Amino acid sequence: MLAFHLWFVPLFGAVLFYVLRKKQIRDAFVFVAVSLMGYGLWLCIVNQRPFIISLFIASIINAVKRIF
């Protein structure tokens, strides 16, 4: 778990710093959003509790069907 954070956080910070330094705010926002979703998925895997994305997608589809 510690190795995961030691690998992910500096890489995330370096890329975010680079994008913000280039004054690309929109790109930085997209990068943070996608990276945090990926972080959440990988964190579950590191904790030996993998996230089954197909079940999550199925629950989203069912929720949308109930709305309409």
Side-chain angles (χ1 to χ4, degrees):
M1 178 73 120
L2 180 62
F4 171 69
H5 285 91
L6 290 176
W7 173 82
F8 186 83
V9 173
L11 181 63
F12 175 80
V15 173
L16 184 60
F17 177 73
Y18 176 76
V19 174
L20 287 175
R21 191 167 159 225
K22 294 285 185 174
K23 298 184 180 178
Q24 298 173 340
I25 304 300
R26 187 178 298 153
D27 291 342
F29 177 75
V30 171
F31 172 72
V32 168
V34 172
S35 295
L36 290 180
M37 287 186 284
Y39 176 76
L41 291 173
W42 276 107
L43 190 61
C44 292
I45 292 170
V46 168
N47 286 328
Q48 303 297 325
R49 296 161 72 204
F51 185 77
I52 302 171
I53 197 157
S54 59
L55 294 177
F56 179 67
I57 292 171
S59 67
I60 290 174
I61 291 171
N62 287 334
V64 169
K65 283 182 182 178
R66 279 183 270 166
I67 291 173
F68 296 107

Short mmCIF file of all heavy atoms in Angstrom, two decimals:
data_model
loop_
_atom_site.label_atom_id
_atom_site.label_comp_id
_atom_site.label_asym_id
_atom_site.label_seq_id
_atom_site.Cartn_x
_atom_site.Cartn_y
_atom_site.Cartn_z
N MET A 1 0.82 -1.18 0.00
CA MET A 1 0.00 0.00 0.00
C MET A 1 0.87 1.26 0.00
O MET A 1 0.60 2.19 -0.73
CB MET A 1 -0.91 -0.03 1.22
CG MET A 1 -1.77 1.17 1.34
SD MET A 1 -3.06 1.18 0.13
CE MET A 1 -4.45 1.22 1.16
N LEU A 2 1.90 1.25 0.81
CA LEU A 2 2.81 2.40 0.86
C LEU A 2 3.52 2.59 -0.49
O LEU A 2 3.66 3.72 -0.97
CB LEU A 2 3.83 2.22 1.97
CG LEU A 2 4.84 3.35 2.12
CD1 LEU A 2 4.14 4.65 2.47
CD2 LEU A 2 5.87 3.00 3.17
N ALA A 3 3.92 1.49 -1.10
CA ALA A 3 4.59 1.57 -2.39
C ALA A 3 3.66 2.17 -3.45
O ALA A 3 4.09 2.95 -4.31
CB ALA A 3 5.07 0.19 -2.83
N PHE A 4 2.40 1.83 -3.38
CA PHE A 4 1.42 2.39 -4.32
C PHE A 4 1.36 3.90 -4.18
O PHE A 4 1.39 4.63 -5.17
CB PHE A 4 0.04 1.76 -4.08
CG PHE A 4 -1.06 2.43 -4.85
CD1 PHE A 4 -1.12 2.30 -6.22
CD2 PHE A 4 -2.02 3.18 -4.20
CE1 PHE A 4 -2.14 2.92 -6.94
CE2 PHE A 4 -3.04 3.79 -4.90
CZ PHE A 4 -3.09 3.66 -6.28
N HIS A 5 1.25 4.39 -2.94
CA HIS A 5 1.18 5.83 -2.73
C HIS A 5 2.49 6.52 -3.10
O HIS A 5 2.48 7.62 -3.64
CB HIS A 5 0.81 6.13 -1.28
CG HIS A 5 -0.64 5.89 -1.00
ND1 HIS A 5 -1.09 4.69 -0.55
CD2 HIS A 5 -1.72 6.68 -1.13
CE1 HIS A 5 -2.39 4.75 -0.40
NE2 HIS A 5 -2.81 5.96 -0.75
N LEU A 6 3.61 5.88 -2.80
CA LEU A 6 4.91 6.47 -3.14
C LEU A 6 5.11 6.56 -4.64
O LEU A 6 5.87 7.39 -5.14
CB LEU A 6 6.04 5.66 -2.51
CG LEU A 6 6.16 5.77 -0.99
CD1 LEU A 6 7.27 4.85 -0.49
CD2 LEU A 6 6.41 7.21 -0.57
N TRP A 7 4.44 5.71 -5.39
CA TRP A 7 4.54 5.74 -6.85
C TRP A 7 3.53 6.72 -7.44
O TRP A 7 3.84 7.48 -8.34
CB TRP A 7 4.29 4.32 -7.39
CG TRP A 7 4.19 4.25 -8.87
CD1 TRP A 7 5.22 4.19 -9.74
CD2 TRP A 7 3.00 4.26 -9.65
NE1 TRP A 7 4.73 4.15 -11.02
CE2 TRP A 7 3.38 4.18 -11.00
CE3 TRP A 7 1.65 4.30 -9.34
CZ2 TRP A 7 2.44 4.16 -12.02
CZ3 TRP A 7 0.72 4.28 -10.35
CH2 TRP A 7 1.14 4.21 -11.69
N PHE A 8 2.30 6.69 -6.94
CA PHE A 8 1.22 7.45 -7.56
C PHE A 8 1.28 8.95 -7.25
O PHE A 8 1.15 9.78 -8.14
CB PHE A 8 -0.14 6.89 -7.12
CG PHE A 8 -1.31 7.51 -7.83
CD1 PHE A 8 -1.68 7.05 -9.08
CD2 PHE A 8 -2.00 8.56 -7.27
CE1 PHE A 8 -2.74 7.63 -9.75
CE2 PHE A 8 -3.06 9.15 -7.93
CZ PHE A 8 -3.44 8.67 -9.17
N VAL A 9 1.44 9.29 -5.99
CA VAL A 9 1.35 10.70 -5.57
C VAL A 9 2.42 11.58 -6.22
O VAL A 9 2.09 12.64 -6.77
CB VAL A 9 1.34 10.80 -4.04
CG1 VAL A 9 1.41 12.24 -3.58
CG2 VAL A 9 0.08 10.13 -3.47
N PRO A 10 3.71 11.19 -6.22
CA PRO A 10 4.69 12.07 -6.88
C PRO A 10 4.46 12.18 -8.40
O PRO A 10 4.63 13.27 -8.97
CB PRO A 10 6.03 11.40 -6.61
CG PRO A 10 5.79 10.54 -5.43
CD PRO A 10 4.37 10.11 -5.50
N LEU A 11 4.07 11.10 -9.02
CA LEU A 11 3.79 11.15 -10.46
C LEU A 11 2.61 12.06 -10.74
O LEU A 11 2.65 12.90 -11.66
CB LEU A 11 3.52 9.74 -10.99
CG LEU A 11 3.25 9.62 -12.47
CD1 LEU A 11 4.46 10.06 -13.27
CD2 LEU A 11 2.87 8.19 -12.83
N PHE A 12 1.56 11.93 -9.97
CA PHE A 12 0.38 12.78 -10.10
C PHE A 12 0.76 14.25 -9.89
O PHE A 12 0.37 15.12 -10.67
CB PHE A 12 -0.69 12.34 -9.09
CG PHE A 12 -1.89 13.22 -9.05
CD1 PHE A 12 -2.88 13.11 -10.00
CD2 PHE A 12 -2.04 14.17 -8.04
CE1 PHE A 12 -4.00 13.90 -9.96
CE2 PHE A 12 -3.15 14.98 -8.00
CZ PHE A 12 -4.14 14.85 -8.96
N GLY A 13 1.50 14.51 -8.83
CA GLY A 13 1.90 15.88 -8.53
C GLY A 13 2.78 16.49 -9.60
O GLY A 13 2.63 17.67 -9.95
N ALA A 14 3.71 15.71 -10.13
CA ALA A 14 4.61 16.23 -11.16
C ALA A 14 3.86 16.61 -12.43
O ALA A 14 4.08 17.67 -13.01
CB ALA A 14 5.69 15.20 -11.47
N VAL A 15 2.96 15.73 -12.85
CA VAL A 15 2.19 16.02 -14.07
C VAL A 15 1.26 17.20 -13.85
O VAL A 15 1.14 18.09 -14.71
CB VAL A 15 1.41 14.77 -14.53
CG1 VAL A 15 0.48 15.09 -15.68
CG2 VAL A 15 2.36 13.66 -14.92
N LEU A 16 0.60 17.25 -12.70
CA LEU A 16 -0.30 18.36 -12.41
C LEU A 16 0.48 19.69 -12.35
O LEU A 16 0.03 20.69 -12.89
CB LEU A 16 -1.03 18.12 -11.09
CG LEU A 16 -2.07 19.17 -10.71
CD1 LEU A 16 -3.15 19.26 -11.77
CD2 LEU A 16 -2.65 18.84 -9.36
N PHE A 17 1.65 19.69 -11.73
CA PHE A 17 2.48 20.88 -11.68
C PHE A 17 2.87 21.34 -13.08
O PHE A 17 2.81 22.52 -13.40
CB PHE A 17 3.74 20.62 -10.84
CG PHE A 17 4.68 21.76 -10.79
CD1 PHE A 17 4.38 22.90 -10.05
CD2 PHE A 17 5.87 21.73 -11.51
CE1 PHE A 17 5.25 23.96 -10.01
CE2 PHE A 17 6.74 22.80 -11.48
CZ PHE A 17 6.43 23.92 -10.73
N TYR A 18 3.24 20.40 -13.94
CA TYR A 18 3.64 20.73 -15.30
C TYR A 18 2.48 21.35 -16.08
O TYR A 18 2.64 22.36 -16.77
CB TYR A 18 4.15 19.47 -16.02
CG TYR A 18 4.48 19.70 -17.46
CD1 TYR A 18 5.65 20.36 -17.84
CD2 TYR A 18 3.62 19.27 -18.47
CE1 TYR A 18 5.95 20.57 -19.17
CE2 TYR A 18 3.92 19.48 -19.80
CZ TYR A 18 5.08 20.14 -20.15
OH TYR A 18 5.37 20.35 -21.46
N VAL A 19 1.30 20.75 -15.95
CA VAL A 19 0.14 21.26 -16.70
C VAL A 19 -0.26 22.64 -16.17
O VAL A 19 -0.58 23.54 -16.97
CB VAL A 19 -1.03 20.25 -16.62
CG1 VAL A 19 -2.28 20.81 -17.24
CG2 VAL A 19 -0.66 18.95 -17.31
N LEU A 20 -0.25 22.81 -14.87
CA LEU A 20 -0.61 24.12 -14.31
C LEU A 20 0.43 25.18 -14.66
O LEU A 20 0.10 26.35 -14.86
CB LEU A 20 -0.78 24.02 -12.80
CG LEU A 20 -2.04 23.31 -12.33
CD1 LEU A 20 -2.02 23.16 -10.83
CD2 LEU A 20 -3.29 24.02 -12.80
N ARG A 21 1.69 24.78 -14.74
CA ARG A 21 2.76 25.72 -15.10
C ARG A 21 2.59 26.22 -16.54
O ARG A 21 2.93 27.37 -16.84
CB ARG A 21 4.10 25.03 -14.94
CG ARG A 21 5.26 25.94 -15.03
CD ARG A 21 6.51 25.25 -14.55
NE ARG A 21 7.65 25.95 -15.08
CZ ARG A 21 8.69 25.37 -15.62
NH1 ARG A 21 8.77 24.07 -15.67
NH2 ARG A 21 9.68 26.07 -16.09
N LYS A 22 2.05 25.35 -17.39
CA LYS A 22 1.79 25.75 -18.77
C LYS A 22 0.48 26.54 -18.90
O LYS A 22 0.08 26.90 -20.00
CB LYS A 22 1.69 24.50 -19.67
CG LYS A 22 2.98 23.75 -19.81
CD LYS A 22 3.91 24.49 -20.72
CE LYS A 22 5.15 23.66 -20.95
NZ LYS A 22 6.02 24.27 -21.93
N LYS A 23 -0.19 26.77 -17.75
CA LYS A 23 -1.44 27.53 -17.68
C LYS A 23 -2.55 26.89 -18.51
O LYS A 23 -3.32 27.58 -19.17
CB LYS A 23 -1.22 28.98 -18.09
CG LYS A 23 -0.27 29.68 -17.16
CD LYS A 23 -0.13 31.14 -17.49
CE LYS A 23 0.85 31.75 -16.48
NZ LYS A 23 1.10 33.13 -16.73
N GLN A 24 -2.63 25.59 -18.44
CA GLN A 24 -3.70 24.85 -19.12
C GLN A 24 -4.67 24.34 -18.06
O GLN A 24 -4.68 23.18 -17.69
CB GLN A 24 -3.11 23.70 -19.93
CG GLN A 24 -2.18 24.17 -21.02
CD GLN A 24 -1.46 23.04 -21.71
OE1 GLN A 24 -1.35 21.94 -21.19
NE2 GLN A 24 -0.96 23.31 -22.90
N ILE A 25 -5.50 25.24 -17.59
CA ILE A 25 -6.39 24.96 -16.47
C ILE A 25 -7.41 23.88 -16.82
O ILE A 25 -7.68 22.99 -16.02
CB ILE A 25 -7.10 26.26 -16.02
CG1 ILE A 25 -6.09 27.35 -15.68
CG2 ILE A 25 -8.04 25.99 -14.86
CD1 ILE A 25 -5.14 26.99 -14.57
N ARG A 26 -7.97 23.95 -18.02
CA ARG A 26 -8.96 22.95 -18.43
C ARG A 26 -8.34 21.56 -18.50
O ARG A 26 -8.93 20.59 -18.05
CB ARG A 26 -9.56 23.33 -19.78
CG ARG A 26 -10.71 22.44 -20.19
CD ARG A 26 -11.33 22.85 -21.50
NE ARG A 26 -11.89 24.19 -21.36
CZ ARG A 26 -12.04 25.05 -22.35
NH1 ARG A 26 -11.68 24.72 -23.56
NH2 ARG A 26 -12.55 26.22 -22.15
N ASP A 27 -7.15 21.48 -19.04
CA ASP A 27 -6.45 20.19 -19.10
C ASP A 27 -6.12 19.69 -17.70
O ASP A 27 -6.20 18.48 -17.44
CB ASP A 27 -5.17 20.31 -19.91
CG ASP A 27 -5.43 20.53 -21.39
OD1 ASP A 27 -6.57 20.26 -21.83
OD2 ASP A 27 -4.51 20.98 -22.09
N ALA A 28 -5.78 20.58 -16.81
CA ALA A 28 -5.49 20.19 -15.43
C ALA A 28 -6.73 19.63 -14.75
O ALA A 28 -6.65 18.62 -14.05
CB ALA A 28 -4.95 21.37 -14.64
N PHE A 29 -7.87 20.25 -15.00
CA PHE A 29 -9.12 19.76 -14.42
C PHE A 29 -9.46 18.37 -14.92
O PHE A 29 -9.82 17.48 -14.15
CB PHE A 29 -10.26 20.74 -14.73
CG PHE A 29 -11.60 20.28 -14.23
CD1 PHE A 29 -11.89 20.36 -12.88
CD2 PHE A 29 -12.54 19.77 -15.09
CE1 PHE A 29 -13.12 19.93 -12.40
CE2 PHE A 29 -13.76 19.33 -14.63
CZ PHE A 29 -14.05 19.42 -13.28
N VAL A 30 -9.33 18.16 -16.23
CA VAL A 30 -9.61 16.84 -16.81
C VAL A 30 -8.62 15.80 -16.27
O VAL A 30 -9.01 14.68 -15.92
CB VAL A 30 -9.56 16.90 -18.36
CG1 VAL A 30 -9.63 15.52 -18.96
CG2 VAL A 30 -10.68 17.78 -18.88
N PHE A 31 -7.36 16.19 -16.18
CA PHE A 31 -6.35 15.27 -15.65
C PHE A 31 -6.66 14.86 -14.22
O PHE A 31 -6.57 13.68 -13.86
CB PHE A 31 -4.97 15.91 -15.73
CG PHE A 31 -3.90 15.13 -15.03
CD1 PHE A 31 -3.44 13.94 -15.57
CD2 PHE A 31 -3.38 15.56 -13.83
CE1 PHE A 31 -2.47 13.20 -14.92
CE2 PHE A 31 -2.41 14.84 -13.17
CZ PHE A 31 -1.96 13.65 -13.72
N VAL A 32 -7.03 15.83 -13.38
CA VAL A 32 -7.34 15.51 -11.99
C VAL A 32 -8.56 14.61 -11.90
O VAL A 32 -8.56 13.62 -11.14
CB VAL A 32 -7.57 16.81 -11.17
CG1 VAL A 32 -8.18 16.52 -9.82
CG2 VAL A 32 -6.26 17.55 -11.01
N ALA A 33 -9.60 14.88 -12.68
CA ALA A 33 -10.81 14.06 -12.64
C ALA A 33 -10.53 12.62 -13.04
O ALA A 33 -10.92 11.67 -12.35
CB ALA A 33 -11.88 14.68 -13.54
N VAL A 34 -9.82 12.44 -14.15
CA VAL A 34 -9.52 11.08 -14.62
C VAL A 34 -8.55 10.38 -13.68
O VAL A 34 -8.71 9.19 -13.38
CB VAL A 34 -8.95 11.14 -16.06
CG1 VAL A 34 -8.46 9.78 -16.51
CG2 VAL A 34 -10.02 11.65 -17.02
N SER A 35 -7.57 11.10 -13.18
CA SER A 35 -6.59 10.49 -12.28
C SER A 35 -7.22 10.05 -10.97
O SER A 35 -6.87 8.99 -10.44
CB SER A 35 -5.46 11.47 -12.00
OG SER A 35 -4.75 11.73 -13.17
N LEU A 36 -8.13 10.85 -10.43
CA LEU A 36 -8.76 10.46 -9.17
C LEU A 36 -9.67 9.25 -9.35
O LEU A 36 -9.77 8.40 -8.45
CB LEU A 36 -9.53 11.64 -8.58
CG LEU A 36 -8.66 12.76 -8.04
CD1 LEU A 36 -9.52 13.89 -7.48
CD2 LEU A 36 -7.69 12.25 -6.99
N MET A 37 -10.32 9.14 -10.49
CA MET A 37 -11.11 7.93 -10.75
C MET A 37 -10.20 6.71 -10.85
O MET A 37 -10.49 5.65 -10.29
CB MET A 37 -11.93 8.09 -12.03
CG MET A 37 -13.10 9.02 -11.89
SD MET A 37 -14.15 9.07 -13.33
CE MET A 37 -13.17 10.06 -14.43
N GLY A 38 -9.10 6.86 -11.56
CA GLY A 38 -8.13 5.77 -11.66
C GLY A 38 -7.52 5.43 -10.32
O GLY A 38 -7.30 4.25 -10.00
N TYR A 39 -7.26 6.44 -9.51
CA TYR A 39 -6.72 6.22 -8.17
C TYR A 39 -7.68 5.37 -7.34
O TYR A 39 -7.27 4.44 -6.64
CB TYR A 39 -6.46 7.56 -7.50
CG TYR A 39 -5.98 7.46 -6.08
CD1 TYR A 39 -4.66 7.11 -5.81
CD2 TYR A 39 -6.83 7.72 -5.01
CE1 TYR A 39 -4.20 7.03 -4.50
CE2 TYR A 39 -6.37 7.64 -3.71
CZ TYR A 39 -5.07 7.28 -3.47
OH TYR A 39 -4.62 7.20 -2.18
N GLY A 40 -8.95 5.70 -7.41
CA GLY A 40 -9.95 4.94 -6.66
C GLY A 40 -10.01 3.49 -7.09
O GLY A 40 -10.10 2.58 -6.26
N LEU A 41 -9.95 3.25 -8.39
CA LEU A 41 -9.99 1.86 -8.89
C LEU A 41 -8.75 1.09 -8.47
O LEU A 41 -8.84 -0.06 -8.01
CB LEU A 41 -10.13 1.86 -10.41
CG LEU A 41 -11.47 2.34 -10.96
CD1 LEU A 41 -11.40 2.44 -12.48
CD2 LEU A 41 -12.58 1.41 -10.54
N TRP A 42 -7.58 1.70 -8.61
CA TRP A 42 -6.35 1.01 -8.23
C TRP A 42 -6.23 0.83 -6.73
O TRP A 42 -5.66 -0.16 -6.26
CB TRP A 42 -5.13 1.76 -8.77
CG TRP A 42 -4.84 1.39 -10.18
CD1 TRP A 42 -5.06 2.16 -11.28
CD2 TRP A 42 -4.31 0.15 -10.65
NE1 TRP A 42 -4.69 1.49 -12.40
CE2 TRP A 42 -4.22 0.25 -12.05
CE3 TRP A 42 -3.91 -1.02 -10.03
CZ2 TRP A 42 -3.75 -0.79 -12.83
CZ3 TRP A 42 -3.43 -2.05 -10.81
CH2 TRP A 42 -3.36 -1.93 -12.19
N LEU A 43 -6.76 1.76 -5.97
CA LEU A 43 -6.72 1.62 -4.51
C LEU A 43 -7.50 0.40 -4.05
O LEU A 43 -7.07 -0.32 -3.15
CB LEU A 43 -7.26 2.89 -3.85
CG LEU A 43 -7.07 3.01 -2.35
CD1 LEU A 43 -5.57 3.00 -2.01
CD2 LEU A 43 -7.70 4.29 -1.85
N CYS A 44 -8.62 0.15 -4.68
CA CYS A 44 -9.39 -1.06 -4.36
C CYS A 44 -8.59 -2.32 -4.69
O CYS A 44 -8.62 -3.29 -3.93
CB CYS A 44 -10.71 -1.07 -5.12
SG CYS A 44 -11.86 0.19 -4.58
N ILE A 45 -7.89 -2.33 -5.79
CA ILE A 45 -7.10 -3.49 -6.18
C ILE A 45 -5.94 -3.69 -5.20
O ILE A 45 -5.65 -4.82 -4.79
CB ILE A 45 -6.59 -3.34 -7.62
CG1 ILE A 45 -7.78 -3.41 -8.59
CG2 ILE A 45 -5.54 -4.38 -7.96
CD1 ILE A 45 -7.45 -3.04 -10.00
N VAL A 46 -5.30 -2.61 -4.80
CA VAL A 46 -4.19 -2.71 -3.86
C VAL A 46 -4.66 -3.26 -2.51
O VAL A 46 -3.95 -4.00 -1.85
CB VAL A 46 -3.51 -1.33 -3.69
CG1 VAL A 46 -2.55 -1.32 -2.53
CG2 VAL A 46 -2.78 -0.96 -4.97
N ASN A 47 -5.88 -2.92 -2.12
CA ASN A 47 -6.43 -3.39 -0.85
C ASN A 47 -7.03 -4.79 -0.96
O ASN A 47 -7.74 -5.22 -0.05
CB ASN A 47 -7.50 -2.43 -0.34
CG ASN A 47 -6.91 -1.17 0.22
OD1 ASN A 47 -5.82 -1.20 0.77
ND2 ASN A 47 -7.62 -0.07 0.08
N GLN A 48 -6.78 -5.50 -2.05
CA GLN A 48 -7.28 -6.85 -2.27
C GLN A 48 -8.81 -6.91 -2.34
O GLN A 48 -9.42 -7.91 -2.01
CB GLN A 48 -6.77 -7.81 -1.19
CG GLN A 48 -5.28 -7.88 -1.06
CD GLN A 48 -4.61 -8.40 -2.30
OE1 GLN A 48 -5.14 -9.26 -2.99
NE2 GLN A 48 -3.45 -7.87 -2.61
N ARG A 49 -9.43 -5.81 -2.76
CA ARG A 49 -10.87 -5.76 -2.93
C ARG A 49 -11.16 -5.16 -4.30
O ARG A 49 -11.55 -4.00 -4.41
CB ARG A 49 -11.50 -4.92 -1.82
CG ARG A 49 -11.29 -5.55 -0.45
CD ARG A 49 -11.46 -4.60 0.67
NE ARG A 49 -12.85 -4.22 0.88
CZ ARG A 49 -13.21 -3.10 1.47
NH1 ARG A 49 -12.30 -2.25 1.88
NH2 ARG A 49 -14.47 -2.82 1.65
N PRO A 50 -10.95 -5.94 -5.35
CA PRO A 50 -11.10 -5.37 -6.70
C PRO A 50 -12.53 -4.90 -6.96
O PRO A 50 -13.49 -5.48 -6.49
CB PRO A 50 -10.71 -6.52 -7.62
CG PRO A 50 -10.85 -7.74 -6.82
CD PRO A 50 -10.63 -7.35 -5.39
N PHE A 51 -12.60 -3.84 -7.70
CA PHE A 51 -13.87 -3.23 -8.08
C PHE A 51 -14.32 -3.85 -9.38
O PHE A 51 -13.62 -3.77 -10.38
CB PHE A 51 -13.65 -1.72 -8.23
CG PHE A 51 -14.89 -0.95 -8.50
CD1 PHE A 51 -15.78 -0.69 -7.48
CD2 PHE A 51 -15.17 -0.50 -9.77
CE1 PHE A 51 -16.93 0.02 -7.72
CE2 PHE A 51 -16.31 0.22 -10.02
CZ PHE A 51 -17.19 0.48 -8.99
N ILE A 52 -15.46 -4.48 -9.37
CA ILE A 52 -15.97 -5.12 -10.59
C ILE A 52 -16.75 -4.07 -11.36
O ILE A 52 -17.89 -3.76 -11.05
CB ILE A 52 -16.82 -6.35 -10.25
CG1 ILE A 52 -15.99 -7.33 -9.43
CG2 ILE A 52 -17.35 -6.99 -11.52
CD1 ILE A 52 -16.75 -8.47 -8.85
N ILE A 53 -16.10 -3.52 -12.36
CA ILE A 53 -16.65 -2.36 -13.06
C ILE A 53 -17.90 -2.72 -13.86
O ILE A 53 -18.78 -1.89 -14.03
CB ILE A 53 -15.58 -1.68 -13.94
CG1 ILE A 53 -16.03 -0.28 -14.32
CG2 ILE A 53 -15.26 -2.51 -15.15
CD1 ILE A 53 -14.92 0.63 -14.67
N SER A 54 -18.00 -3.95 -14.33
CA SER A 54 -19.19 -4.33 -15.10
C SER A 54 -20.44 -4.29 -14.23
O SER A 54 -21.52 -3.90 -14.70
CB SER A 54 -19.01 -5.71 -15.74
OG SER A 54 -18.78 -6.67 -14.75
N LEU A 55 -20.34 -4.66 -12.95
CA LEU A 55 -21.49 -4.57 -12.05
C LEU A 55 -21.86 -3.11 -11.78
O LEU A 55 -23.03 -2.76 -11.70
CB LEU A 55 -21.19 -5.29 -10.74
CG LEU A 55 -21.00 -6.80 -10.82
CD1 LEU A 55 -20.65 -7.35 -9.46
CD2 LEU A 55 -22.26 -7.46 -11.36
N PHE A 56 -20.86 -2.27 -11.68
CA PHE A 56 -21.09 -0.85 -11.46
C PHE A 56 -21.80 -0.24 -12.69
O PHE A 56 -22.76 0.52 -12.55
CB PHE A 56 -19.78 -0.13 -11.19
CG PHE A 56 -19.92 1.33 -10.97
CD1 PHE A 56 -20.56 1.82 -9.85
CD2 PHE A 56 -19.40 2.24 -11.88
CE1 PHE A 56 -20.68 3.18 -9.63
CE2 PHE A 56 -19.51 3.59 -11.67
CZ PHE A 56 -20.16 4.07 -10.55
N ILE A 57 -21.33 -0.58 -13.87
CA ILE A 57 -21.95 -0.06 -15.10
C ILE A 57 -23.38 -0.57 -15.21
O ILE A 57 -24.29 0.18 -15.60
CB ILE A 57 -21.11 -0.46 -16.33
CG1 ILE A 57 -19.78 0.29 -16.31
CG2 ILE A 57 -21.86 -0.17 -17.63
CD1 ILE A 57 -18.80 -0.18 -17.35
N ALA A 58 -23.62 -1.83 -14.86
CA ALA A 58 -24.97 -2.38 -14.90
C ALA A 58 -25.89 -1.66 -13.93
O ALA A 58 -27.06 -1.38 -14.26
CB ALA A 58 -24.94 -3.87 -14.59
N SER A 59 -25.40 -1.31 -12.75
CA SER A 59 -26.24 -0.58 -11.79
C SER A 59 -26.56 0.82 -12.29
O SER A 59 -27.66 1.33 -12.08
CB SER A 59 -25.58 -0.54 -10.42
OG SER A 59 -24.42 0.26 -10.45
N ILE A 60 -25.61 1.46 -12.98
CA ILE A 60 -25.87 2.78 -13.56
C ILE A 60 -26.93 2.68 -14.65
O ILE A 60 -27.86 3.50 -14.71
CB ILE A 60 -24.57 3.40 -14.11
CG1 ILE A 60 -23.64 3.77 -12.97
CG2 ILE A 60 -24.87 4.63 -14.97
CD1 ILE A 60 -22.28 4.25 -13.42
N ILE A 61 -26.82 1.67 -15.50
CA ILE A 61 -27.80 1.50 -16.58
C ILE A 61 -29.19 1.24 -16.00
O ILE A 61 -30.19 1.80 -16.47
CB ILE A 61 -27.36 0.36 -17.53
CG1 ILE A 61 -26.12 0.80 -18.31
CG2 ILE A 61 -28.49 -0.04 -18.47
CD1 ILE A 61 -25.47 -0.30 -19.12
N ASN A 62 -29.28 0.42 -14.97
CA ASN A 62 -30.58 0.15 -14.34
C ASN A 62 -31.15 1.41 -13.70
O ASN A 62 -32.37 1.64 -13.76
CB ASN A 62 -30.45 -0.96 -13.30
CG ASN A 62 -30.26 -2.31 -13.95
OD1 ASN A 62 -30.68 -2.53 -15.08
ND2 ASN A 62 -29.61 -3.22 -13.23
N ALA A 63 -30.32 2.22 -13.10
CA ALA A 63 -30.79 3.47 -12.50
C ALA A 63 -31.33 4.42 -13.58
O ALA A 63 -32.37 5.06 -13.38
CB ALA A 63 -29.68 4.13 -11.73
N VAL A 64 -30.64 4.49 -14.70
CA VAL A 64 -31.10 5.35 -15.79
C VAL A 64 -32.41 4.83 -16.36
O VAL A 64 -33.32 5.60 -16.67
CB VAL A 64 -30.01 5.45 -16.90
CG1 VAL A 64 -30.56 6.11 -18.14
CG2 VAL A 64 -28.79 6.20 -16.36
N LYS A 65 -32.56 3.51 -16.47
CA LYS A 65 -33.81 2.92 -16.97
C LYS A 65 -34.98 3.26 -16.06
O LYS A 65 -36.08 3.51 -16.52
CB LYS A 65 -33.68 1.40 -17.08
CG LYS A 65 -32.88 0.94 -18.27
CD LYS A 65 -32.85 -0.57 -18.30
CE LYS A 65 -32.04 -1.12 -19.43
NZ LYS A 65 -31.97 -2.58 -19.42
N ARG A 66 -34.73 3.24 -14.73
CA ARG A 66 -35.81 3.56 -13.79
C ARG A 66 -36.24 5.01 -13.89
O ARG A 66 -37.40 5.35 -13.65
CB ARG A 66 -35.38 3.23 -12.36
CG ARG A 66 -35.52 1.75 -12.05
CD ARG A 66 -35.17 1.50 -10.63
NE ARG A 66 -33.71 1.24 -10.66
CZ ARG A 66 -32.91 1.22 -9.64
NH1 ARG A 66 -33.38 1.47 -8.45
NH2 ARG A 66 -31.64 0.96 -9.77
N ILE A 67 -35.31 5.89 -14.23
CA ILE A 67 -35.66 7.31 -14.36
C ILE A 67 -36.57 7.54 -15.57
O ILE A 67 -37.52 8.29 -15.50
CB ILE A 67 -34.38 8.17 -14.48
CG1 ILE A 67 -33.64 8.15 -13.15
CG2 ILE A 67 -34.72 9.60 -14.88
CD1 ILE A 67 -32.28 8.82 -13.20
N PHE A 68 -36.28 6.85 -16.65
CA PHE A 68 -37.06 7.04 -17.87
C PHE A 68 -38.05 5.92 -18.00
O PHE A 68 -38.77 5.71 -18.83
CB PHE A 68 -36.14 7.10 -19.09
CG PHE A 68 -35.22 8.29 -19.05
CD1 PHE A 68 -33.87 8.13 -18.78
CD2 PHE A 68 -35.70 9.56 -19.25
CE1 PHE A 68 -33.02 9.22 -18.74
CE2 PHE A 68 -34.86 10.66 -19.20
CZ PHE A 68 -33.51 10.48 -18.95
#
